[in-house]
Amino acid sequence: MASYIVATAALGRTDRGEAAGHWRAPPGPLTTMFGTVLPLDGGMLFPQESSFREVKELNGLWDFRADGSPNRNEGFEKAWYKRRLTETGPVIEMPVPASYNDITQDPTLRDFIGWVWYEREVFVPARWISDEGTRVVLRVGSAHYYSIVWVNGEKVTEHEGGHLPFEAEISSLIRKEPTKPCRITIAVNNTLTLETLPPGTIQYMNDSSRYPDGFFVQNIDFDFFNYAGIHRSVLLYTTPKVHVDDISVETNFMDNTGLVRYKVSVQGGFNNTLNITLMDKDGHFVASSTGSSGGLKVVDVKLWWPYLMHENPGYLYSMKVRQHAHRHVGDEYTLPVGIRTINVTNTQFLINNKPFYFHGVNKHEDSDIRGRGFDWPLIVKDFNLMKWLGVNSFRTSHYPYAEEILQMCDRHGIVVIDECPGVGIKDIRSFRNASLSHHLVVMDELVRRDKNHPSVVMWSVANEPASEMPPAEFYFKTLIEHTKALDQTRPVTYVTIAAADMDKGGPYVDVVCANSYFAWYFDQGRLDIIPLQLSTHFENWYRKYQRPIIQSEYGADAVPGLHMDPPMMFTEEYQNALLQSYHDVFDQKRNQYFVGELIWNFADFMTSQGIYRVVGNKKGIFTRQRQPKAAAFLLRKRYWRLANETGRLLPD
Ligand code: BDP
């Protein structure tokens, strides 16, 4: 059970954190109370088909209704989950996966806050029902932000957090009424509170001369639109009753010999025999072992290398876990395994003991119409663009991305800094124990999901928190130590912008990830200050912490097609010139302690409406439709040059 005792040194007391339990709805009309969630009582292996497992995708059109009642609570009061949604009111067709915000012409749905209801009926294959040895699991890849799931009117699970999967075993439930289709209802609420990640607040406007009764807004402190809905695939999948529940691998190598240490947990029965077989890319036998933990030796190992660092990047072995159970069918799960090491020195980031230089991007899961909804054409296009650019890495700003994206990174050798949704933590009340204990659970869920991806080389626990606030130091120390305890093989960072962080937090991070917007948010239009300010900034960081530094964000908005020379802000020329000035400083520091540059941002993306954003953030080097601005060509030239200078396999 994932709930944490958080010792609050600063307050001198101990408090029991209710981890992801009662979602605290904002006071007033949106209040509903929920039961406690037990998020981490098992593994979260990506569903996969094998001779012993089946997968059925439930993507497509679902019935949908937003609860527009003043307190957003009508769905619960009238128990919409008990009957078909069409029997309790009007519904519209809603695609899954997709954010619901940009699908219709209705501005109230675009900006809706509160509960929305999704429903669909599905036929479960008869043999899944008749075979008592089959376990049927309902899984949601992600839904933003808080979800409750019912099957045939019975609640099966609930989950807090918008970017990580959750699931429920529904075998016994569907066996109750075997001939009826199975009705799945998912209620999703996008309300953010001081304790959610990211945090937000609901503000009621009580001045009746200016606002109608009950008028409220959701305030957020992060720079992207709070897209909502079911964002990733909904699946039914089966496993045998006695099944492989989780697998963890850690890899190492010495000279030509690789080592894969593994741990497997089995659920649902005892007396299991586990056979582990490692195969190479061509399916040839490499090594085998038995038992729930052990090691596999790989002679003449082919290491997992990043893209542009080796002629054969992203090499993956397959680890087949075959489990035999007394009087049961047994199970099989195959995990892709990349053998590589990560180490950090005072000045370098090492992959397989060679210096790695990040030349990459920050992204968002964001596109026209779909919002944050999973979309293969978009994902493949983005990978093609990244390869065209010569990108070897990206950061999952500002939340965990779909697992399918990380799997592609594994295969293509794209290195990932894996960030949790700890963004916009600016209110002092968001440093309290309830927030911290939820943040710890989110890190548990993130590490549990992504621990086996060779592409993931570092965890980022937050982006630009208000680290100058007194409780921040304890908060981040706890969070970073917790993450390091969860995974001792990867460095941990949090992404900073505040100079104040030089006095806080720094000692706990393994790599300094610093954002800066010189000549943009400060000294506007004055490109000439960049060399001085940026190099002073780097020198101060390094002098104080003696850690390698990554420029984790830098950039300028550019409205595509807007031109001015000499450059002025918002033109393509200004974006180019600003990047160029940054690059000059990067090149001076590159052979010292500076280990990477990630542009903000890969593509333009949607934000809330406001006077600083013209239909979204325009710092993309591609438009939101993935067409290049001038900066894309500048960066492409640079990244391929960097790949030649830094990416070659250096001789030992
Ligand atoms: C950074 C934030 C990022 C913003 C960016 C910007 O980390 O989320 O989108 O600024 O203002 O500070 O463009």
Side-chain angles (χ1 to χ4, degrees), residues 300-358:
D300 286 331
V301 63
K302 291 200 175 72
L303 296 177
W304 185 94
W305 287 102
Y307 178 55
L308 301 174
M309 201 171 174
H310 193 268
E311 63 279 0
N312 190 9
Y315 191 92
L316 295 174
Y317 292 86
S318 293
M319 192 174 102
K320 191 162 85 184
V321 177
R322 176 80 175 93
Q323 168 249 312
H324 308 267
H326 184 53
R327 278 190 292 183
H328 287 278
V329 281
D331 190 13
E332 188 177 297
Y333 191 95
T334 303
L335 185 77
V337 173
I339 301 176
R340 57 110 185 88
T341 59
I342 306 294
N343 287 291
V344 174
T345 71
N346 287 355
T347 56
Q348 290 180 317
F349 195 100
L350 302 171
I351 298 186
N352 300 336
N353 301 329
K354 311 276 183 202
F356 177 73
Y357 186 80
F358 296 76

Side-chain angles (χ1 to χ4, degrees), residues 227-249:
Y227 277 115
I230 302 179
H231 284 154
R232 297 182 193 146
S233 291
V234 182
L235 305 174
L236 285 179
Y237 72 91
T238 66
T239 73
K241 193 163 167 246
V242 187
H243 61 280
V244 175
D245 177 58
D246 200 11
I247 308 173
S248 305
V249 294

Side-chain angles (χ1 to χ4, degrees), residues 222-224 364 395 397-398 423 426 463-464 495 497 515 517 520-521 553 555 557 600-601 605 607 613 617-619:
F222 51 88
D223 183 36
F224 51 89
H364 263 297
R395 171 165 73 116
S397 43
H398 291 306
V423 56
K426 307 278 191 194
N463 180 67
E464 299 183 0
V495 173
I497 195 160
N515 300 345
Y517 288 92
W520 187 260
Y521 289 117
E553 283 182 31
D557 289 74
W600 190 262
N601 190 286
F605 59 90
T607 62
R613 297 288 177 254
N617 187 309
K618 295 279 186 281
K619 293 194 187 69

Side-chain angles (χ1 to χ4, degrees), residues 439-511:
H439 207 146
L440 296 173
V441 173
V442 172
M443 288 315 300
D444 289 354
E445 288 188 17
L446 178 63
V447 173
R448 173 178 66 172
R449 193 194 71 159
D450 292 348
K451 63 190 169 190
N452 294 324
H453 288 288
S455 56
V456 173
V457 301
M458 180 155 64
W459 306 110
S460 161
V461 300
N463 180 67
E464 299 183 0
S467 48
E468 70 286 357
M469 290 182 176
E473 190 166 357
F474 169 75
Y475 188 101
F476 283 101
K477 185 171 184 286
T478 309
L479 199 53
I480 289 170
E481 281 173 1
H482 179 78
T483 309
K484 286 188 185 184
L486 287 174
D487 177 6
Q488 285 149 26
T489 69
R490 291 177 178 91
V492 181
T493 190
Y494 78 81
V495 173
T496 172
I497 195 160
D501 283 357
M502 287 190 197
D503 302 317
K504 321 253 177 202
Y508 313 117
V509 300
D510 296 307
V511 175

Side-chain angles (χ1 to χ4, degrees), residues 310-618:
H310 193 268
E311 63 279 0
N312 190 9
Y315 191 92
L316 295 174
Y317 292 86
S318 293
M319 192 174 102
K320 191 162 85 184
V321 177
R322 176 80 175 93
Q323 168 249 312
H324 308 267
H326 184 53
R327 278 190 292 183
H328 287 278
V329 281
D331 190 13
E332 188 177 297
Y333 191 95
T334 303
L335 185 77
V337 173
I339 301 176
R340 57 110 185 88
T341 59
I342 306 294
N343 287 291
V344 174
T345 71
N346 287 355
T347 56
Q348 290 180 317
F349 195 100
L350 302 171
I351 298 186
N352 300 336
N353 301 329
K354 311 276 183 202
F356 177 73
Y357 186 80
F358 296 76
H359 40 92
V361 294
N362 290 278
K363 294 187 88 253
H364 263 297
E365 288 182 322
D366 174 275
S367 72
D368 283 333
I369 305 170
R370 291 147 189 79
R372 219 170 294 309
F374 182 91
D375 183 46
W376 273 122
L378 177 80
I379 290 169
V380 176
K381 177 72 178 175
D382 281 4
F383 267 81
N384 288 332
L385 287 174
M386 285 193 284
K387 288 189 147 185
W388 176 86
L389 269 179
V391 158
N392 66 359
S393 51
F394 67 82
R395 171 165 73 116
T396 69
S397 43
H398 291 306
Y399 38 78
Y401 293 179
E403 283 159 279
E404 291 88 337
I405 296 178
L406 296 181
Q407 289 163 358
M408 276 191 82
C409 291
D410 292 343
R411 292 196 298 273
H412 292 257
I414 303 291
V415 166
V416 174
I417 300 174
D418 202 353
E419 186 158 285
C420 87
V423 56
I425 308 176
K426 307 278 191 194
D427 186 310
I428 196 158
R429 293 167 294 173
S430 290
F431 288 103
R432 295 194 294 219
N433 285 348
S435 299
L436 177 54
S437 57
H438 174 57
H439 207 146
L440 296 173
V441 173
V442 172
M443 288 315 300
D444 289 354
E445 288 188 17
L446 178 63
V447 173
R448 173 178 66 172
R449 193 194 71 159
D450 292 348
K451 63 190 169 190
N452 294 324
H453 288 288
S455 56
V456 173
V457 301
M458 180 155 64
W459 306 110
S460 161
V461 300
N463 180 67
E464 299 183 0
S467 48
E468 70 286 357
M469 290 182 176
E473 190 166 357
F474 169 75
Y475 188 101
F476 283 101
K477 185 171 184 286
T478 309
L479 199 53
I480 289 170
E481 281 173 1
H482 179 78
T483 309
K484 286 188 185 184
L486 287 174
D487 177 6
Q488 285 149 26
T489 69
R490 291 177 178 91
V492 181
T493 190
Y494 78 81
V495 173
T496 172
I497 195 160
D501 283 357
M502 287 190 197
D503 302 317
K504 321 253 177 202
Y508 313 117
V509 300
D510 296 307
V511 175
V512 171
C513 281
N515 300 345
S516 64
Y517 288 92
F518 300 125
W520 187 260
Y521 289 117
F522 310 97
D523 302 300
Q524 287 147 8
R526 295 306 303 264
L527 294 165
D528 50 323
I529 55 78
I530 291 175
L532 175 66
Q533 292 191 2
L534 187 59
S535 36
T536 312
H537 175 80
F538 286 151
E539 291 299 311
N540 288 345
W541 272 114
Y542 189 71
R543 191 173 320 113
K544 182 118 195 194
Y545 291 116
Q546 314 273 307
R547 295 277 197 279
I549 300 177
I550 293 176
Q551 179 77 42
S552 40
E553 283 182 31
Y554 70 108
D557 289 74
V559 177
L562 200 60
H563 297 288
M564 276 286 212
D565 194 57
M568 285 185 74
M569 291 176 79
F570 292 100
T571 64
E572 295 199 33
E573 285 75 13
Y574 193 89
Q575 187 182 35
N576 256 3
L578 184 141
L579 301 193
Q580 186 61 62
S581 308
Y582 264 79
H583 296 162
D584 294 343
V585 181
F586 297 164
D587 286 338
Q588 287 161 27
K589 309 291 176 197
R590 199 142 50 78
N591 293 322
Q592 302 171 33
Y593 47 76
F594 187 71
V595 298
E597 50 187 273
L598 305 174
I599 183 79
W600 190 262
N601 190 286
F602 173 73
D604 293 346
F605 59 90
M606 193 48 71
T607 62
S608 347
Q609 300 185 59
I611 50 168
Y612 293 103
R613 297 288 177 254
V614 188
V615 192
N617 187 309
K618 295 279 186 281

